[in-house]
């Protein structure tokens, strides 16, 4: 198979650059924006060799996995642009549900169940299936936003802070190309709802309905401190709200979330 946009993405005017192998789809997208590309445009490969995730972790996609980045040029503040990551999580979850229909029918009660982990991951059970990373750079008087989405289709990395899993291990036998087609169409839907931040209230509602660990005890490692409490909600800026034992509700703008107590941080 070859990579192709879904029919809805084609109708919405998205362009596509597909690579047999590349260092980083995010880098490709940013470099195109610097050279004048104004999108919207997808950059996709089934083998990524030099990608970077959050906290500068390596983001490698062995052959058969999916690395995809979408370039959007927006006229919003960076803080607003950051909330597009929640739309990306919803789009990926919707695409996964679509391509998992056959597996769901075959596996019944053992079917994969997907959930969204703050800020930008998709889980199957409590294992990481998808990582989503955002980059932004000024282009003229607007902002080039690149949303990178990496999905473990055939293989999952080992030794990650949150244990990882692949679709193949879950019993979902589909290709990166099939998933990308579904993702490109789902992106049109949720990008439209997000609407340059104007629709974030609806995105927030939909995201919370699919959130992993909501109402449960979490530990968030911010790099300097570890905060423990109950995952209460996310606010209108996309910050995670932690309710501490003394009743305070504290916003967290960035960090690594672990389910359970602080003892679980870094244990995986």
């Amino acid at each position: 198979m070859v990579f192709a946009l879904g029919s809805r993405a084609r109708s919405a005017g998205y362009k596509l650059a597909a690579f047999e192998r590349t260092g980083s789809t995010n880098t490709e997208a940013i470099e195109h924006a610097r050279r004048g590309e104004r999108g919207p445009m997808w950059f996709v490969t089934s083998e990524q060799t030099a990608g970077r995730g959050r906290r500068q972790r390596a983001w490698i996609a062995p052959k058969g996995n999916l690395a995809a980045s979408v370039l959007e040029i927006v006229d919003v503040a960076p803080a607003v642009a950051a909330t597009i990551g929640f739309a990306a999580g919803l789009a990926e979850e919707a695409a996964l549900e679509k391509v998992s229909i056959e597996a769901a029918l075959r596996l019944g009660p053992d079917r994969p169940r997907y959930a969204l982990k703050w800020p930008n991951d998709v889980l199957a059970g409590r294992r990481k299936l998808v990582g989503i990373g955002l980059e932004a750079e000024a282009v003229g008087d607007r902002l080039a936003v690149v949303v990178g989405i990496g999905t473990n289709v055939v293989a999952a990395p080992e030794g990650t802070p949150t244990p990882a899993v692949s679709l193949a291990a879950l019993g979902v036998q589909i290709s990166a190309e099939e998933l990308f087609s579904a993702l490109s169409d789902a992106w049109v839907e949720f990008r439209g709802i997000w609407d340059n931040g104007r629709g974030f209230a609806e995105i927030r509602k939909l995201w919370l309905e699919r959130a992993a660990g909501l109402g449960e005890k979490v530990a968030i490692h911010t790099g300097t401190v570890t905060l423990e409490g109950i995952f209460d909600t996310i606010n209108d800026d996309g910050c995670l709200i932690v309710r501490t034992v003394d009743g305070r509700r504290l916003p967290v703008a960035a960090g690594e979330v672990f389910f359970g107590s602080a003892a679980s941080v870094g244990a995986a």
Side-chain angles (χ1 to χ4, degrees), residues 27-93:
T27 298
E28 291 285 352
I30 285 289
E31 289 181 349
H32 274 69
R34 289 170 180 166
R35 295 196 296 266
E37 176 60 59
R38 293 298 176 260
M41 186 171 184
W42 280 97
F43 300 80
V44 62
T45 185
S46 62
E47 186 176 7
Q48 176 169 269
T49 60
R52 306 302 299 180
R54 288 196 301 276
R55 301 183 184 275
Q56 296 304 302
R57 296 191 185 105
W59 186 344
I60 308 301
K63 192 167 183 62
N65 279 2
L66 175 63
S69 300
V70 61
L71 169 65
E72 299 276 355
I73 307 298
V74 296
D75 186 15
V76 300
V80 174
T83 63
I84 200 173
F86 295 94
L90 287 164
E92 174 74 9
E93 189 265 348

Side-chain angles (χ1 to χ4, degrees), residues 222-246:
T222 65
T224 55
V225 299
T226 298
L227 178 66
E228 285 190 83
I230 301 299
F231 175 13
D232 204 42
T233 188
I234 61 172
N235 68 11
D236 293 340
D237 298 318
C239 293
L240 184 148
I241 303 299
V242 179
R243 179 161 39 86
T244 63
V245 291
D246 58 4

Side-chain angles (χ1 to χ4, degrees), residues 49-262:
T49 60
R52 306 302 299 180
R54 288 196 301 276
R55 301 183 184 275
Q56 296 304 302
R57 296 191 185 105
W59 186 344
I60 308 301
K63 192 167 183 62
N65 279 2
L66 175 63
S69 300
V70 61
L71 169 65
E72 299 276 355
I73 307 298
V74 296
D75 186 15
V76 300
V80 174
T83 63
I84 200 173
F86 295 94
L90 287 164
E92 174 74 9
E93 189 265 348
L96 288 168
E97 288 288 354
K98 181 176 181 179
V99 300
S100 300
I101 291 175
E102 184 276 333
L105 293 173
R106 173 166 41 85
L107 298 172
D110 296 324
R111 59 162 294 180
R113 299 185 186 279
Y114 307 115
L116 303 178
K117 181 187 177 189
W118 186 90
N120 296 321
D121 293 340
V122 182
L123 306 181
R126 288 293 168 94
R127 293 179 289 176
K128 182 173 177 176
L129 180 64
V130 181
I132 300 173
L134 276 64
E135 296 184 41
E137 188 171 300
V139 287
D141 60 350
R142 305 185 77 190
L143 198 64
V145 178
V146 176
V147 183
I149 305 172
T151 308
N152 301 327
V153 178
V154 299
E158 298 180 355
T160 52
T162 299
V165 70
S166 68
L167 285 172
L170 295 168
V172 181
Q173 303 298 325
I174 58 101
S175 67
E177 291 85 354
E178 290 175 276
L179 177 58
F180 172 70
S181 179
L183 173 60
S184 67
D185 278 349
W187 174 257
V188 174
E189 176 181 356
F190 291 100
R191 165 69 173 87
I193 295 171
W194 179 72
D195 189 23
N196 291 345
R198 289 182 288 267
F200 183 64
E202 179 63 16
I203 290 292
R204 174 181 175 274
K205 173 180 173 291
L206 294 170
W207 192 94
L208 285 169
E209 289 172 356
R210 296 157 177 80
L214 187 65
E216 299 177 15
K217 192 171 186 178
V218 292
I220 304 100
H221 183 50
T222 65
T224 55
V225 299
T226 298
L227 178 66
E228 285 190 83
I230 301 299
F231 175 13
D232 204 42
T233 188
I234 61 172
N235 68 11
D236 293 340
D237 298 318
C239 293
L240 184 148
I241 303 299
V242 179
R243 179 161 39 86
T244 63
V245 291
D246 58 4
R248 291 178 298 160
R249 298 175 76 250
L250 303 178
V252 180
E256 190 85 39
V257 174
F258 296 85
F259 301 112
S261 68

